[in-house]
Amino acid sequence: MPAENKSVTPRQIGLKDVHVALITSDGSSGTVYEKPIKISRAITAKITPSVNSETLYSDDGVEDELTAFAGCEVEIEQNALTLEHRALILGKKYSNGELVENSGDKAPKLALLFRSEKSNSTKAKPVYRYCVLYKGAFNEIEDEYETKGEKPNSKTTKIKGKFYDRESDGNWRMMLDTDADGVDTAKLDAFFTSVQEPTAQ
């Protein structure tokens, strides 16, 4: 059996198991989450971090570069989103199949979790990158409808939001590769059961 080529870095080739976990509290004593809940089936996800920077000049040259993390924009495309899950991530009222949207609704703070298959994955030994964004909120959802013609044209749902660092420790994201040396397998096993925290350094 040929040895694995370590010089080739595996690429991300998949996306599945998108979950959210509502934040109960976030402060100096730590961040507390509710149990993660899976929301529909994922198609694409785009995470765009933003950094504000300012260049300081003195003596006709660059003295320093000041930077500050400004959060990240998140866009997830899903096959569909149930009214119950819509209420969950946007802070709406839902009961018995009825969703009520009010001008005073406020989207809750939550964590976003998912995993992405890697190109070195096999059926016998699947390989994933697990990801959690620790704190953010989603925006109101744009709805699009179209009359049915001769060829069905199904619509997907896109949810957008802004995620940023936690008050408790400044962390905003953690990623775990299942094929990394020394990876904590207990964290992988419990990843979608409870929001996993970084190992103390």
Side-chain angles (χ1 to χ4, degrees):
M1 182 177 179
E4 182 181 357
N5 186 356
K6 296 287 188 178
S7 65
V8 178
T9 302
R11 298 182 299 277
Q12 305 307 131
I13 60 172
L15 174 67
K16 65 188 302 185
D17 296 329
V18 174
H19 288 62
V20 296
L22 298 182
I23 294 177
T24 302
S25 62
D26 179 31
S28 57
S29 60
T31 308
V32 180
Y33 298 90
E34 294 184 7
K35 183 177 180 179
I37 297 174
K38 184 176 181 179
I39 54 170
S40 195
R41 298 172 65 89
I43 299 174
T44 63
K46 184 178 181 180
I47 301 171
T48 309
S50 177
V51 176
N52 293 330
S53 63
E54 181 179 359
T55 303
L56 301 180
Y57 296 90
S58 63
D59 282 348
D60 297 332
V62 175
E63 175 185 333
D64 199 0
E65 184 80 19
L66 303 179
T67 61
F69 178 67
C72 64
E73 302 291 337
V74 173
E75 179 178 313
I76 300 175
E77 182 180 5
Q78 298 177 286
N79 68 326
L81 192 66
T82 67
L83 293 182
E84 187 174 7
H85 288 158
R86 187 169 179 150
L88 172 71
I89 67 172
L90 295 178
K92 310 292 185 182
K93 292 181 179 180
Y94 174 83
S95 178
N96 301 319
E98 181 177 281
L99 176 72
V100 179
E101 298 184 292
N102 186 278
S103 60
D105 292 336
K106 185 175 181 181
K109 300 296 187 295
L110 46 78
L112 175 68
L113 309 88
F114 61 88
R115 60 177 174 167
S116 171
E117 189 174 1
K118 300 175 70 174
S119 59
N120 59 336
S121 179
T122 64
K123 287 187 177 181
K125 187 179 179 182
V127 180
Y128 291 95
R129 172 167 293 171
Y130 286 73
C131 179
V132 53
L133 298 177
Y134 281 122
K135 184 178 182 180
F138 286 108
N139 305 327
E140 291 288 349
I141 298 171
E142 295 182 7
D143 293 311
E144 183 179 353
Y145 303 93
E146 181 180 342
T147 189
K148 185 172 67 175
E150 294 182 1
K151 182 180 179 181
N153 185 14
S154 62
K155 300 296 181 182
T156 58
T157 300
K158 289 184 179 180
I159 53 177
K160 300 178 181 180
K162 181 73 177 287
F163 284 72
Y164 38 89
D165 53 318
R166 300 189 294 196
E167 292 182 22
S168 60
D169 54 15
N171 291 331
W172 67 276
R173 176 167 64 177
M174 181 176 71
M175 294 185 281
L176 290 169
D177 283 340
T178 61
D179 58 340
D181 293 335
V183 66
D184 189 337
T185 56
K187 284 187 178 182
L188 298 176
D189 293 340
F191 198 83
F192 296 118
T193 302
S194 60
V195 175
Q196 298 300 299
E197 295 292 342
T199 303
Q201 300 295 321

